[in-house]
Amino acid sequence: MSNIYQEIQKRILVLDGAMGTMLQEYKFTEEDFRGERFKDYPTPLQGNNDLLSITQPEAVKEVHRKYFAAGADIVETNTFSGTTIAMADYQMEDLVYELNYESAKIAKEVAEEFTAKEPHKPRFVAGSIGPTNRTASMSPDVNDPGYRAVTFDELRIAYKQQVEALIDGGSDILLVETVFDTLNAKAALFAIEEVKAERNIEIPIMISGTITDASGRTLSGQTAEAFLISVSHIPLLSVGFNCALGANLLQPHLEAIASKTDFAISAHPNAGLPNAFGEYDETPEETAEQIEEYLKKNLINIIGGCCGTTPKHISAIAAVAAKYKPRKAEFVATVQNS
């Protein structure tokens, strides 16, 4: 579906930065989130960033443009919470297909605009698939360890609907990201494989876990290497980590997997750790300097930013990444020729 397999052999690909950080700068009010269409909606909608793809599409487009202009090769769709499970918070389950479709369509339009201007540097859209706000392998109730707030099948069905809409809207890649519970991710991967089989298509898949604290484990208790092993049965474009940690704290976990897989490796760390007010103070130069350590050690194929990162961060990261060759991902040649 795309020539990303060729591009990833030529250079280190740059992923965009935080969508939420950029949208916050618009200071959208409840009325802005609602727009005309949802002005009488029965629930509060402020904070539902995915909805902005319908009510404030120009703002979302502008964010994508800023990241591509900063040097990104790949932008993520504005669909981090785009499942019926996450949208239940806003009683917007019925809107899920439209939200994902419109988000992918917006991102694809901007990607095509930049590819037309610079055909030597094609731009790609990654359909962002977040973890949902429920966990399939742990109980949210301390008094009932056997209880689960969601089943594997419920997750699979929800993810399948999101995947179909992201593909229909024009996504080149599917990115299962911020994985804190690998069982949730497996439901997403299962849904993707179902859609691929039903439609008889291939689409590159990226998966990105999140190490939640200094223990070096995901929320559901896996080490970086265990996470890699548990998802390696699927033919992936890349595996990696994002969120929770800054670039320097993420490095040992990337080192733990880089020597153990032929998949490409991705990382999109936060701009350091948040301060007491939940804000990120790390400058673009500081982030890029830490990321350069990954590049010196030949750990990375795809690099970008998560919480707190802006187009300035991506610009600094892209400048550093351009100086290095990508880590060799042997599977690429096989996939390309198959």
Side-chain angles (χ1 to χ4, degrees):
M1 286 180 74
S2 73
N3 59 352
I4 195 158
Y5 291 110
Q6 286 120 15
E7 296 304 316
I8 205 166
Q9 291 176 71
K10 295 178 194 170
R11 63 186 190 280
I12 292 168
L13 297 179
V14 177
L15 190 65
D16 62 1
M19 173 61 78
T21 301
M22 295 298 290
L23 290 174
Q24 279 166 18
E25 291 181 5
Y26 289 87
K27 298 189 166 43
F28 287 132
T29 62
E30 176 71 31
E31 287 68 35
D32 296 324
F33 273 87
R34 288 173 176 271
E36 187 57 32
R37 179 171 162 190
F38 301 103
K39 68 178 195 313
D40 300 321
Y41 211 75
T43 55
L45 299 178
Q46 191 167 5
N48 184 356
N49 280 354
D50 294 26
L51 182 61
L52 295 172
S53 294
I54 292 174
T55 56
Q56 302 290 339
E58 283 310 312
V60 177
K61 265 190 172 175
E62 194 178 356
V63 173
H64 290 321
R65 275 196 195 100
K66 285 177 178 171
Y67 279 125
F68 277 138
D73 297 286
I74 306 166
V75 297
E76 296 178 49
T77 55
N78 180 36
T79 54
F80 188 78
S81 303
T83 55
T84 48
I85 292 166
M87 280 295 145
D89 288 355
Y90 300 97
Q91 295 174 25
M92 286 195 148
E93 297 95 322
D94 292 348
L95 271 181
V96 161
Y97 183 90
E98 186 182 353
L99 286 172
N100 285 280
Y101 179 84
E102 290 300 326
S103 295
K105 187 163 159 276
I106 285 167
K108 187 67 171 178
E109 282 168 12
V110 183
E112 286 176 343
E113 194 181 296
F114 275 82
T115 300
K117 281 192 280 192
E118 300 176 297
H120 63 283
K121 186 181 159 75
R123 305 308 215 280
F124 302 96
V125 172
S128 170
I129 299 170
T132 83
N133 45 9
R134 299 194 189 168
T135 168
S137 64
M138 291 183 292
S139 171
D141 182 355
V142 289
N143 300 311
D144 186 359
Y147 172 71
R148 295 293 180 269
V150 69
T151 66
F152 183 91
D153 220 39
E154 286 166 345
L155 284 164
R156 176 189 66 79
I157 291 162
Y159 280 130
K160 189 174 180 183
Q161 185 181 11
Q162 182 177 29
V163 166
E164 287 175 331
L166 288 170
I167 293 172
D168 290 347
S171 298
D172 304 296
I173 306 156
L174 294 172
L175 167 55
V176 181
E177 64 169 317
T178 322
V179 175
F180 58 77
D181 181 346
T182 309
L183 194 55
N184 286 39
K186 281 177 176 281
L189 293 170
F190 191 96
I192 293 168
E193 292 303 307
E194 263 193 310
V195 175
K196 281 166 58 179
E198 284 169 12
R199 298 189 176 199
N200 194 23
I201 57 166
E202 282 302 322
I203 186 164
I205 304 165
M206 297 172 64
I207 187 164
S208 183
T210 188
I211 302 290
T212 45
D213 56 33
S215 71
R217 292 174 183 266
T218 64
L219 190 66
S220 54
Q222 284 186 314
T223 61
E225 188 179 350
F227 171 70
L228 168 68
I229 292 165
S230 65
V231 297
S232 291
H233 60 294
I234 297 282
L236 300 171
L237 171 70
S238 68
V239 63
F241 294 104
N242 73 289
C243 205
L245 304 174
N248 56 346
L249 295 172
L250 198 56
Q251 185 171 323
H253 309 302
L254 295 170
E255 288 173 0
I257 63 171
S259 59
K260 297 181 177 72
T261 183
D262 287 338
F263 297 143
I265 299 286
S266 75
H268 49 297
N270 290 350
L273 295 175
N275 62 25
F277 303 102
E279 293 163 349
Y280 293 85
D281 302 321
E282 194 171 275
T283 67
E285 294 70 31
E286 288 166 337
T287 304
E289 192 179 317
Q290 292 172 41
I291 279 171
E292 190 158 14
E293 295 305 310
Y294 302 176
L295 306 172
K296 286 176 184 169
K297 294 192 170 186
N298 195 30
L299 298 176
I300 285 291
N301 302 89
I302 302 171
I303 187 72
C306 204
C307 304
T309 57
T310 65
K312 287 181 178 169
H313 288 82
I314 297 307
S315 181
I317 290 167
V320 167
K323 299 191 291 186
Y324 293 85
K325 286 191 162 57
R327 169 186 163 278
K328 190 157 179 53
E330 289 173 19
F331 82 99
V332 168
T334 333
V335 172
Q336 206 179 317
N337 298 330
S338 63

